[in-house]
Amino acid sequence: MDLLSNKWIVNLLVCCLFIGVGCNSVEKKIYVHLNYTVPCVRLLNATHQIGCQSHLSGNVGVLHVLESEENVDWVLRSGPNPPYLVILESPLFTRSIMMKLKNASSRVAGVAVVAPSANPLEGVSPHTTCPNENTGVYTENYDPSLAHCNMTVWNPLGSGLSYEQFDFPIFSLKDDNDTQVIRQCYMDHNRAVNGSTPQYPLCAMQLYSHMSAVTDTATCMRRNDINFSISPEMVCDPLGDYNVWASTRPINNTAKGHKMWESVVIAAARLDSRSFFFEVAPGAESGVSGFVTLLAAAHALRNPIQVAPPNRTILYTFFQGETFDYIGSSRMVYDMQNNHFAVDLDNVHSVLEIGQVGLRADSRLWLHSDPVSRKNSSVNAEVRKLIESLQSAAADLNVTVNETGFSQPLPPSSFQRFLRARPIPGVVIEDHQSAFTNRFYESMYDNAEYLNISYPPNLTPEEQLVLVTDTAKALTEVATMVARALYIQAGGAATQLKNINADPNIVTRMLYGFLVRSNNSWFQELIPSDLMSHLADRPTNFYVGVAQQSSEPTLLVQYLLANLTGSPTNISQDNCQNQREDEKDTESKHMYYYMWVQGALPPNSTKRESFCVRSTVRLSKALSPAFDLREYTSKDYSTWTESRWKSIKGRIFLVASHDLEMLTLGVGVAVLLASLLLTYIMSSKADILFSSGREPANATY
């Protein structure tokens, strides 16, 4: 290649570089990208789809800040520049307004909801009034009079908004600099003054949240199976995760199925929650209050059970995906029925479930049981014993427990999935007698503030971590009651009850870690180094996610339960990670699980005191059996899937009038045609225009 060619290549590359830099610079001048956006995403089940999505290229609309419900008419009818992208303050994010916008979707490009800095005074629940009504125990075949919440409407504030389908994107925006820029842009360009029509240029927003899946789960799973290329593109994934469980006595987890002479008392709680928006599911009352109580109870029982083991084994279970038709509990019951779990249903003696226990009026808790199974005299006798155990366990505590009416059905609970399989004695502990006391059930407001968890402003994060709050003290009382009742139910001696007490310091650290910030020194001690990336300076998100890997709550509860119920073991890191006591040990892995954790960081040191924890903690699948059976229209199991997407983002910019855009396009086309015509003329006359005159042959100098 000659020197001239090299110069041309260099020049071309330099030009490309300048063009790229110039385009990037122009793009930054045109658009303001939004930093903190949380979308509503599309979910599907056996019959339909719910959630939101944008067009493939995003939805663009002129910004309109909705100041009151009366102002919605501007968007629906009178506004001259549709479609509009509506900015809502959180008090206006109601079913009434959203259904009006949904029914006028041709004039609505999308909705952005400004997340509040404090909870509203009135209750808000985007969930249904009867959670999981079609997959619980109460059906036309079990007791029709109790089905579909005929007896008790559990969530009377439920608007059902989370289960609607919207044909435009809906985002949640953090109330920070982004929203200030949006409001200022609206005030400068879009707000009508004294009834006048806003003049161009107008402030507009573009939201991207295109979803790949459509129609229902059967359709999207069928599309997943179509392989037209080497790397087929998936359009949806089943919701799911892993259940976390541990036993007070080692159980051989390799040999599945029935265990001879084994009797198990299941102590259960749910791990997951949700809200209208993806990745915003604090679940403080709906989930955290229950499983933190159970974790604290498990810790309180560790030493007493070692000193005086009861006759029965207590099985601590933490179910994932319960919000979506009992994914975790239905899977465990299915595995027990098919000999895929460490024990089977014949081994189950009884069930004690801890539900919503964070909002106790007058320190009162309610014991719920199933009126249908209690018609069996043996079941009723065991339920009576469990209730009496709970009442005696609460005798010297600041907790009052009461039974609900005998004819009242169970509230939404994992225990219902066990009753679908067979009549098993059981009780569900709740802080409500009938309807939920939780005013923010499955919403973004079910957070630390709602549980009255707050700290003095002058405390550092580490000081907040160890401050024992009033909520922590209250839940410690509940955990002590639960631990004592479980010990009695498992056949333990009543003389040991005084030695069973939950630790408020453990409870307050768990509440801080799950509801304020998981990235704290205590959580860091209890996990391995490769999981540090899961800790964050924010509350934990309890949305179950898709069944591809363990979520943050699952991993944290797994390691917490191991540290709270297991024991440090003096073995090497290599042996620990290879599930053995030493090189010759081949049996321990069947009975125990070994975890290498970071340990504490001594003062003035950079090296942690890592160690191995031996416990009985295990993970089991929390994936609906419908996906293993390929029964995507199942009425017995959860069929929820989550759509995949390409990108989630938003940006604002100024948009010119349609007339100006057409004029600009027309001028551009005219310039193009003129240049083509000029090029043609010059090309056809090139021999005249660019010919050089020849000198005469006889010219002399």
Side-chain angles (χ1 to χ4, degrees):
M1 188 178 289
D2 59 15
L3 183 61
L4 184 61
S5 299
N6 288 334
K7 287 183 177 179
W8 275 108
I9 293 173
V10 171
N11 289 336
L12 181 62
L13 291 174
V14 170
C15 288
C16 290
L17 176 64
F18 275 106
I19 290 172
V21 172
C23 290
N24 186 48
S25 176
V26 171
E27 196 267 350
K28 287 183 178 179
K29 291 179 179 178
I30 294 175
Y31 300 105
V32 175
H33 291 270
L34 305 177
N35 297 316
Y36 185 90
T37 56
V38 180
C40 151
V41 302
R42 173 170 288 170
L43 303 175
L44 310 95
N45 66 5
T47 57
H48 61 290
Q49 62 187 20
I50 63 173
C52 325
Q53 80 151 358
S54 74
H55 301 309
L56 184 60
S57 58
N59 282 29
V60 179
V62 173
L63 278 180
H64 181 75
V65 176
L66 198 64
E67 297 172 349
S68 66
E69 186 164 0
E70 293 74 25
N71 186 236
V72 76
D73 187 66
W74 177 272
V75 176
L76 303 180
R77 281 176 285 275
S78 60
N81 303 304
Y84 288 98
L85 209 146
V86 183
I87 308 297
L88 287 179
E89 297 293 339
S90 59
L92 296 176
F93 185 53
T94 63
R95 181 177 179 86
S96 172
I97 290 178
M98 291 307 300
M99 295 309 291
K100 289 178 182 178
L101 297 178
K102 175 182 177 178
N103 295 330
S105 57
S106 61
R107 290 180 59 90
V108 179
V111 174
V113 182
V114 180
S117 56
N119 284 358
L121 297 176
E122 297 181 356
V124 175
S125 175
H127 208 74
T128 60
T129 57
C130 189
N132 291 352
E133 65 175 302
N134 297 315
T135 48
V137 68
Y138 302 112
T139 62
E140 284 72 12
N141 299 324
Y142 192 75
D143 190 330
S145 66
L146 303 179
H148 308 294
C149 295
N150 289 334
M151 184 72 68
T152 305
V153 177
W154 296 109
N155 186 31
L157 293 174
S159 67
L161 200 59
S162 289
Y163 291 84
E164 292 289 342
Q165 162 66 19
F166 294 93
D167 294 325
F168 48 76
I170 303 176
F171 279 44
S172 173
L173 304 177
K174 191 174 182 179
D175 193 2
D176 58 7
N177 293 337
D178 282 349
T179 52
Q180 295 303 319
V181 170
I182 292 170
R183 289 189 181 100
Q184 192 59 49
C185 190
Y186 169 77
M187 297 296 291
D188 292 343
H189 298 277
N190 294 19
R191 190 175 189 185
V193 180
N194 298 326
S196 62
T197 301
Q199 300 299 309
Y200 285 98
L202 297 174
C203 192
M205 180 182 285
Q206 186 173 26
L207 298 179
Y208 293 85
S209 63
H210 180 69
M211 301 288 141
S212 301
V214 294
T215 309
D216 53 37
T217 289
T219 302
C220 82
M221 294 301 289
R222 185 172 66 247
R223 288 178 61 192
N224 282 350
D225 293 336
I226 299 174
N227 297 326
F228 286 132
S229 63
I230 297 175
S231 56
E233 184 174 349
M234 308 290 282
V235 297
C236 70
D237 300 286
L239 293 185
D241 201 320
Y242 289 90
N243 296 323
V244 183
W245 64 273
S247 55
T248 52
R249 280 193 293 222
I251 297 176
N252 190 329
N253 190 51
T254 305
K256 306 293 186 183
H258 184 72
K259 298 293 189 294
M260 195 67 71
W261 317 119
E262 188 73 72
S263 181
V264 170
V265 176
I266 293 179
R270 57 177 275 195
L271 283 181
D272 67 305
S273 183
R274 71 165 302 195
S275 75
F276 185 87
F277 296 104
F278 179 72
E279 290 190 338
V280 182
E285 160 71 345
S286 61
V288 176
S289 66
F291 77 71
V292 162
T293 298
L294 183 53
L295 284 169
H299 177 251
L301 284 169
R302 178 175 62 180
N303 293 335
I305 283 179
Q306 291 175 353
V307 173
N311 299 328
R312 300 187 182 95
T313 300
I314 301 173
L315 189 73
Y316 307 114
T317 56
F318 299 84
F319 294 120
Q320 266 285 14
E322 298 301 273
T323 303
F324 295 96
D325 294 332
Y326 306 118
I327 294 174
S329 55
S330 64
R331 180 58 190 238
M332 183 171 285
V333 171
Y334 174 82
D335 286 345
M336 287 182 174
Q337 290 173 317
N338 292 277
N339 294 326
H340 295 156
F341 193 69
V343 296
D344 66 5
L345 289 173
D346 289 333
N347 293 123
V348 178
H349 173 267
S350 53
V351 177
L352 177 61
E353 181 173 351
I354 299 92
Q356 303 180 93
V357 293
L359 299 172
R360 293 179 293 131
D362 302 322
S363 300
R364 190 181 300 275
L365 290 174
W366 295 91
L367 307 180
H368 298 256
S369 58
D370 172 43
V372 180
S373 61
R374 289 186 68 178
K375 294 176 182 177
N376 181 307
S377 58
S378 61
V379 171
N380 184 55
E382 284 297 334
V383 172
R384 286 277 0 133
K385 287 181 184 177
L386 183 52
I387 291 173
E388 289 168 4
S389 297
L390 286 161
Q391 290 174 335
S392 63
D396 60 342
L397 300 172
N398 187 28
V399 179
T400 304
V401 291
N402 299 93
E403 286 187 76
T404 59
F406 188 82
S407 61
Q408 182 172 286
L410 285 169
S413 53
S414 305
F415 178 44
Q416 291 198 30
R417 292 301 302 195
F418 286 85
L419 288 174
R420 279 181 69 123
R422 62 173 62 182
I424 296 175
V427 168
V428 180
I429 306 174
E430 302 276 2
D431 58 16
H432 55 87
Q433 180 179 10
S434 53
F436 295 161
T437 54
N438 186 353
R439 295 184 295 112
F440 301 125
Y441 183 74
E442 307 291 31
S443 80
M444 68 173 77
Y445 309 117
D446 187 9
N447 52 23
E449 178 188 344
Y450 187 43
L451 283 188
N452 298 315
I453 297 174
S454 59
Y455 304 91
N458 58 334
L459 295 186
T460 65
E462 287 303 305
E463 291 171 335
Q464 293 177 355
L465 173 67
V466 297
L467 178 68
V468 179
T469 61
D470 291 339
T471 302
K473 294 175 184 176
L475 287 182
T476 301
E477 296 274 294
V478 181
T480 299
M481 180 198 72
V482 169
R484 292 176 179 179
L486 284 171
Y487 188 76
I488 297 172
Q489 185 68 8
T495 55
Q496 286 289 324
L497 292 187
K498 64 180 182 299
N499 299 323
I500 301 175
N501 295 285
D503 186 350
N505 296 297
I506 295 289
V507 174
T508 202
R509 291 182 184 191
M510 287 192 287
L511 290 175
Y512 180 84
F514 287 115
L515 296 178
V516 181
R517 53 183 293 172
S518 59
N519 188 19
N520 60 75
S521 61
W522 190 57
F523 275 18
Q524 291 170 11
E525 293 176 16
L526 306 182
I527 64 172
S529 57
D530 59 344
L531 294 183
M532 282 289 289
S533 60
H534 289 269
L535 304 183
D537 297 331
R538 55 162 176 75
T540 305
N541 169 40
F542 289 98
Y543 172 66
V544 62
V546 296
Q548 293 180 340
Q549 59 184 2
S550 299
S551 65
E552 179 186 330
T554 298
L555 292 170
L556 290 176
V557 169
Q558 178 191 10
Y559 280 89
L560 274 169
L561 185 59
N563 281 274
L564 295 176
T565 61
S567 57
T569 306
N570 187 23
I571 61 176
S572 67
Q573 182 176 357
D574 181 65
N575 286 332
C576 184
Q577 293 174 340
N578 283 287
Q579 302 300 309
R580 62 194 183 191
E581 296 281 338
D582 53 47
E583 286 75 5
K584 297 180 181 179
D585 180 17
T586 59
E587 298 300 322
S588 295
K589 63 182 179 181
H590 304 304
M591 311 300 289
Y592 297 100
Y593 193 77
Y594 297 83
M595 299 175 175
W596 189 262
V597 299
Q598 291 191 118
L601 183 65
N604 303 319
S605 176
T606 58
K607 186 177 181 181
R608 290 183 176 272
E609 298 175 342
S610 302
F611 60 94
C612 185
V613 176
R614 186 183 72 176
S615 72
T616 60
V617 174
R618 305 277 184 172
L619 297 180
S620 65
K621 247 192 222 183
L623 174 68
S624 172
F627 296 99
D628 285 351
L629 301 171
R630 301 181 70 84
E631 296 177 358
Y632 304 134
T633 58
S634 172
K635 294 182 180 179
D636 296 321
Y637 298 111
S638 171
T639 55
W640 285 104
T641 53
E642 177 187 282
S643 174
R644 291 197 178 188
W645 57 83
K646 294 293 185 183
S647 65
I648 301 291
K649 60 183 180 180
R651 59 188 185 181
I652 61 173
F653 54 93
L654 293 181
V655 62
S657 69
H658 183 70
D659 293 342
L660 180 57
E661 289 176 340
M662 290 299 99
L663 176 61
T664 304
L665 177 63
V667 171
V669 171
V671 170
L672 173 63
L673 294 176
S675 63
L676 291 175
L677 179 62
L678 181 61
T679 302
Y680 172 76
I681 294 173
M682 294 180 68
S683 177
S684 62
K685 304 296 183 181
D687 56 336
I688 298 174
L689 295 173
F690 303 108
S691 63
S692 57
R694 294 182 178 178
E695 294 182 348
N698 58 354
T700 59
Y701 297 92

